[in-house]
């Protein structure tokens, strides 16, 4: 298959603690060891003892720095290499036999070339290091919606993060041995040299190879690489959806809960929305919001035709800067203990600190480990993160562990749009909703290297994560409207509309529940809206705005629509769809034409 195919008998017997009854897995581990030449192999069982040992080792070599044990027990700071602080989309490839299958939305390399390049990098790279074998399950161990993988890495920091982010260790290995099928992820931090860094995906082989980065999205292979890029490919073959979406439950005062899945690009507030605390009046009336997931959603039609969703992750890898008692009190409570912080600043008494934390502490040391100097660089890197188990979240839903998943009532798409796009609108049907998702645009953020604040099309927030041609992905989405499924309603929101003074017009955070309540009302057939060519928009009277201060101008913009602006937007959407050539489904192009002609 590639350079890894070697004479296995020639591999010296390594110091190893475990193994597996699954021949395909033990063969692969042996092949990887032959290629990478580690000093030892450690099979991760996910136990507390194993975790304690790895943490002691990382404390000793400085990979993890213990934080203030009174304020943040069992918590650590990790400082990554300063050139390794975000996902690297320009170094991320999808290697399919036919380039068109990867599509214009992905960087492509032929699989043989991709393997040759990566195996050249991996050759001997683990000499002097331990190779960790991490069996993991994405989703509840007993769920038919879950899928398993094995990550091989030389980074104990990755092991510690995978332990928080996935169901990792012995139970996952048992499932893998039972099923005989798993996604193979090979990772090495290499030399952390940006010139020797690639993240490659081989969807047809359910394989990932990642070299040269220790940063989350590049290195915790269960997350973006498996649960989105490889899973989106698997999902298309198997009839489900793998999406960059949070999942939350809204419980009304009568105790009924609707689940909503919402796609926003990276660093656009998914974690905050997933952990939303209702405004005071709502709380008093008995509204509650439950967190199922903050980043990834796998969903498939159930026997009743509704879409059922699981969160394949078991933890949060959240953006720290901006997380405060105002923006996300639940996240702040989550990270009070048992948390790994990456690239935050620290206070004089060794507490984690980041911009926007809004406490009365001051940073003493910045994320690079140098004395903090105002104006030199931020105390925390803008993409600084916390990794923490979801079970620590006060709003964590008990349904998050339900193997059957939760039924989705509404799907929400949203981007960072300073102009044009109103606060919320509803698609008239599934096809229109798919177009709304396909046309999503957003300003770029610090979650990936590159310029920040540039508007780009980010369909369904999957631009960096769809493991195949977007045209085929939109066809796959459209295929769910088969006359039998009872599909959720689709909405679009924009929390980021700005006024002439450059300030946000909508207060956001907890007040976003007002918009979600309107959606639930629409799902239940109670709430009103005004039909426009772009979709159904609530008038301000249709939303509960009690206690929200909004100027007349803000109201006009948030609940209005600018026909000329949308005409131009629909021209630009048309050009975007054309970039995908003949694979772009006609139904989507026709839908665009329908709306463009209604706009006149
Ligand atoms: C993330 C991202 O880490 O989208 O979730 O970058
Ligand atoms: Mn994400």
């Amino acid at each position: 298959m590639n350079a890894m195919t070697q004479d296995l008998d020639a591999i010296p017997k390594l110091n190893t603690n475990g193994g597996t009854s699954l021949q395909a897995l033990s063969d692969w581990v042996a092949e990887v060891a032959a290629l990478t030449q580690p000093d030892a192999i450690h099979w991760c069982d996910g136990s507390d003892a194993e975790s304690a040992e790895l943490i002691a080792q990382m404390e000793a070599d400085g990979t993890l720095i213990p934080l203030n044990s009174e304020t943040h027990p069992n918590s650590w700071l990790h400082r990554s290499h300063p050139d390794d602080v975000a996902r690297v989309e320009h170094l991320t490839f999808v290697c399919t036999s036919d380039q068109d299958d990867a599509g214009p939305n992905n960087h492509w390399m032929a699989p043989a070339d991709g393997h040759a390049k990566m195996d050249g990098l991996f050759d001997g790279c683990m000499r002097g290091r331990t190779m960790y074998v991490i069996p993991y399950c994405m989703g509840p161990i007993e769920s038919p919606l879950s899928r398993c993988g094995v990550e091989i890495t030389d980074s104990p920091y990755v092991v510690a993060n995978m332990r928080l982010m996935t169901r990792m260790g012995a139970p996952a290995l048992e499932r893998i041995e039972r099923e005989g099928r798993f996604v193979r992820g090979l990772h090495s931090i290499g030399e952390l040299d940006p010139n020797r860094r690639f993240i490659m995906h081989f969807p047809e082989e359910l394989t990932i190879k990642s070299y040269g980065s220790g940063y989350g999205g590049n290195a915790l292979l269960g997350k973006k690489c498996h649960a989105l890029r490889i899973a989106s490919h698997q999902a298309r073959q198997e009839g489900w959806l793998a999406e960059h979406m949070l999942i939350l439950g809204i419980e009304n005062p009568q105790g009924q809960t609707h689940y909503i899945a919402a796609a926003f690009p990276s660093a656009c507030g998914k974690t905050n929305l997933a952990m939303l605390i209702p405004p005071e009046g709502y709380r008093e009336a008995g509204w509650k919001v439950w967190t199922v997931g903050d980043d990834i959603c796998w969903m498939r039609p159930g026997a009743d035709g509704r879409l059922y969703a699981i969160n394949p992750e078991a933890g949060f890898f959240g953006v720290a800067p901006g997380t405060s008692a105002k923006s996300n009190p639940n996240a702040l409570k989550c990270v009070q203990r048992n948390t790994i912080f990456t690239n935050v600043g620290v206070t004089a008494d060794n507490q984690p600190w980041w911009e926007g934390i809004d406490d009365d502490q001051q940073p003493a040391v910045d994320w690079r480990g140098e004395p903090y100097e105002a104006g030199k660089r931020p105390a925390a890197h803008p993409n600084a993160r916390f990794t923490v188990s979801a079970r620590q979240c006060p709003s964590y839903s008990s349904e998050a562990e339900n193997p059957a998943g939760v039924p989705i009532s509404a799907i929400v798409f949203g981007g960072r749009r300073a102009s044009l796009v109103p606060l919320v609108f509803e698609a008239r049907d599934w096809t229109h909703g798919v177009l709304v998702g396909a046309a999503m645009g957003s300003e770029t953020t610090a979650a990936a290297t590159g310029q920040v604040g540039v508007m780009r099309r980010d369909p369904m927030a999957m631009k960096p994560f769809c493991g195949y041609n977007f045209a085929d992905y939109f066809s796959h989405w459209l295929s769910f409207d088969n006359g039998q499924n009872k599909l959720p309603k689709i909405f679009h929101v924009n929390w980021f509309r700005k006024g002439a003074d450059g300030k946000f017009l909508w207060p956001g955070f907890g007040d976003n529940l007002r918009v979600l309540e309107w959606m639930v009302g629409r799902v239940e057939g109670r709430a009103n809206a005004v039909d426009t060519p772009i979709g159904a928009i609530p008038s301000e009277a249709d939303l509960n705005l009690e206690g929200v201060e909004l100027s007349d101008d803000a109201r006009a913009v948030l609940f209005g629509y600018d026909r000329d602006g949308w005409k131009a937007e629909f021209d630009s959407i048309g050009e975007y769809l054309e970039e995908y050539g003949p694979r772009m489904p006609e139904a989507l192009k026709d839908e665009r034409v329908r709306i463009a002609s209604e706009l006149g």
Side-chain angles (χ1 to χ4, degrees):
M1 172 183 106
N2 53 56
M4 279 191 201
T5 316
Q6 306 196 7
D7 179 3
L8 299 187
D9 293 336
I11 303 168
K13 270 267 162 274
L14 285 169
N15 173 10
T16 173
N17 65 330
T20 174
S21 59
L22 184 63
Q23 194 65 42
L25 176 54
S26 60
D27 286 354
W28 177 58
V29 169
E31 284 171 12
V32 170
L35 177 69
T36 60
Q37 308 269 309
D39 280 11
I41 300 180
H42 179 95
W43 287 76
C44 298
D45 61 14
S47 64
D48 291 345
E50 172 182 86
S51 169
E53 206 173 299
L54 282 177
I55 282 169
Q57 178 192 319
M58 285 189 278
E59 283 187 5
D61 70 15
T63 305
L64 290 185
I65 303 165
L67 290 165
N68 186 320
S69 60
E70 272 167 33
T71 59
H72 292 77
N74 235 356
S75 298
W76 294 269
L77 165 65
H78 171 72
R79 292 197 181 106
S80 75
H81 188 286
D83 289 332
D84 185 30
V85 291
R87 285 184 292 97
V88 282
E89 293 178 12
H90 59 297
L91 302 174
T92 300
F93 286 72
V94 169
C95 306
T96 43
S97 325
D98 178 352
Q99 181 166 3
D100 280 349
D101 288 341
N105 45 305
N106 282 302
H107 299 296
W108 176 84
M109 208 178 275
D113 295 345
H115 281 303
K117 180 162 219 49
M118 296 310 281
D119 293 350
L121 293 169
F122 279 110
D123 195 355
C125 73
M126 295 191 192
R127 265 185 217 118
R129 300 179 184 170
T130 296
M131 179 175 116
Y132 299 94
V133 181
I134 314 172
Y136 63 86
C137 180
M138 300 309 293
I141 291 276
E142 297 308 331
S143 173
L145 296 163
S146 301
R147 293 287 179 277
C148 292
V150 177
E151 174 164 359
I152 296 181
T153 180
D154 53 10
S155 162
Y157 165 81
V158 165
V159 179
N161 277 270
M162 286 290 282
R163 185 163 189 264
L164 294 167
M165 294 302 297
T166 70
R167 280 93 174 162
M168 173 269 245
L173 183 59
E174 267 168 41
R175 178 165 170 167
I176 291 168
E177 287 172 343
R178 216 169 46 237
E179 291 182 335
R181 195 163 181 242
F182 59 96
V183 169
R184 291 158 197 236
L186 172 53
H187 168 255
S188 170
I189 54 171
E191 308 78 26
L192 293 175
D193 174 356
N195 296 313
R196 285 167 57 82
R197 180 175 296 159
F198 287 101
I199 325 295
M200 298 238 184
H201 304 76
F202 304 85
E204 292 150 355
E205 302 164 35
L206 302 185
T207 294
I208 305 153
K209 293 185 178 177
S210 164
Y211 189 88
S213 168
Y215 170 77
N218 304 327
L220 314 180
L221 301 187
K223 192 172 179 62
K224 303 299 183 178
C225 299
H226 177 164
L228 289 175
R229 297 193 191 95
I230 298 288
S232 59
H233 166 93
Q234 267 183 312
R236 179 181 175 216
Q237 289 182 326
E238 297 172 5
W240 48 283
L241 291 165
E243 300 302 324
H244 192 202
M245 292 179 177
L246 66 90
I247 309 165
L248 61 75
I250 301 179
E251 185 179 328
N252 68 16
Q254 293 73 48
Q256 293 145 344
T257 304
H258 278 284
Y259 293 91
I260 293 184
F264 295 84
S266 309
C268 286
K270 281 203 298 301
T271 307
N272 292 347
L273 187 62
M275 297 180 190
L276 178 152
I277 304 246
E280 203 178 328
Y282 279 79
R283 279 202 307 276
E284 280 161 9
W287 290 84
K288 294 190 183 109
V289 171
W290 299 108
T291 310
V292 178
D294 79 328
D295 195 42
I296 302 180
C297 163
W298 287 357
M299 53 191 163
R300 84 158 17 156
D304 60 0
R306 296 188 71 187
L307 291 184
Y308 284 80
I310 58 163
N311 169 16
E313 301 192 283
F316 306 121
F317 182 64
V319 177
T323 304
S324 69
K326 173 169 181 280
S327 68
N328 196 338
N330 278 330
L332 220 52
K333 283 189 193 129
C334 279
V335 302
Q336 238 36 62
R337 59 192 203 287
N338 310 329
T339 304
I340 299 174
F341 295 89
T342 300
N343 293 338
V344 296
V346 284
T347 60
D349 67 347
N350 209 22
Q351 296 190 49
W353 196 93
W354 50 81
E355 278 66 22
I357 191 170
D358 207 16
D359 60 9
D360 43 20
Q361 310 279 328
Q362 287 302 313
V365 178
D366 71 20
W367 64 276
R368 293 180 68 154
E370 291 174 19
Y372 174 72
E373 254 179 68
K376 185 173 169 200
R377 69 170 76 96
H381 185 276
N383 193 34
R385 299 283 179 143
F386 52 79
T387 321
V388 67
S389 165
R391 289 175 190 273
Q392 284 187 200
C393 180
S395 57
Y396 192 49
S397 164
S398 56
E399 285 300 292
E401 301 293 331
N402 186 340
V406 294
I408 297 296
S409 299
I411 288 177
V412 180
F413 295 118
R416 228 174 235 278
R417 295 293 295 262
S419 58
L420 185 68
V421 182
L423 181 62
V424 57
F425 61 90
E426 178 192 325
R428 73 168 194 172
D429 57 18
W430 186 257
T431 304
H432 180 203
V434 175
L435 179 67
V436 169
M440 244 172 81
S442 196
E443 293 157 20
T444 51
T445 69
T449 50
Q451 233 184 319
V452 169
V454 180
M455 156 57 200
R456 70 166 180 179
R457 295 266 164 230
D458 188 351
M460 297 171 177
M462 285 287 277
K463 167 75 187 74
F465 306 123
C466 184
Y468 62 102
N469 190 321
F470 260 151
D472 298 334
Y473 170 75
F474 301 144
S475 296
H476 182 49
W477 263 81
L478 291 171
S479 74
F480 285 80
D481 191 8
N482 60 5
Q484 277 145 29
N485 289 334
K486 297 196 189 72
L487 296 168
K489 277 188 178 291
I490 298 181
F491 298 87
H492 188 281
V493 298
N494 179 21
W495 314 136
F496 299 96
R497 187 79 187 254
K498 287 182 178 167
D501 58 1
K503 294 208 175 115
F504 292 120
L505 293 177
W506 176 248
F509 305 115
D511 286 310
N512 292 338
L513 183 57
R514 300 172 190 279
V515 177
L516 302 183
E517 185 200 3
W518 174 76
M519 290 178 191
V520 169
R522 294 293 290 173
V523 168
E524 291 179 347
R526 290 183 286 104
N528 293 323
V530 180
D531 282 327
T532 78
I534 65 160
I537 304 182
S539 74
E540 43 182 296
D542 298 323
L543 241 67
N544 174 2
L545 293 177
E546 214 178 295
V548 184
E549 274 180 36
L550 289 175
S551 67
D552 288 348
D553 284 354
R555 283 169 196 261
V557 167
L558 291 169
F559 299 101
Y561 96 103
D562 156 14
R563 183 180 288 265
D564 288 341
W566 278 102
K567 268 161 79 172
E569 176 77 357
F570 268 77
D571 288 347
S572 140
I573 295 169
E575 284 162 22
Y576 179 68
L577 298 185
E578 283 310 320
E579 286 173 23
Y580 290 84
R583 285 201 190 202
M584 184 53 71
E586 288 302 323
L588 215 56
K589 293 202 267 185
D590 291 350
E591 184 65 6
R592 189 206 69 85
V593 170
R594 178 188 72 75
I595 297 172
S597 58
E598 272 187 41
L599 284 164

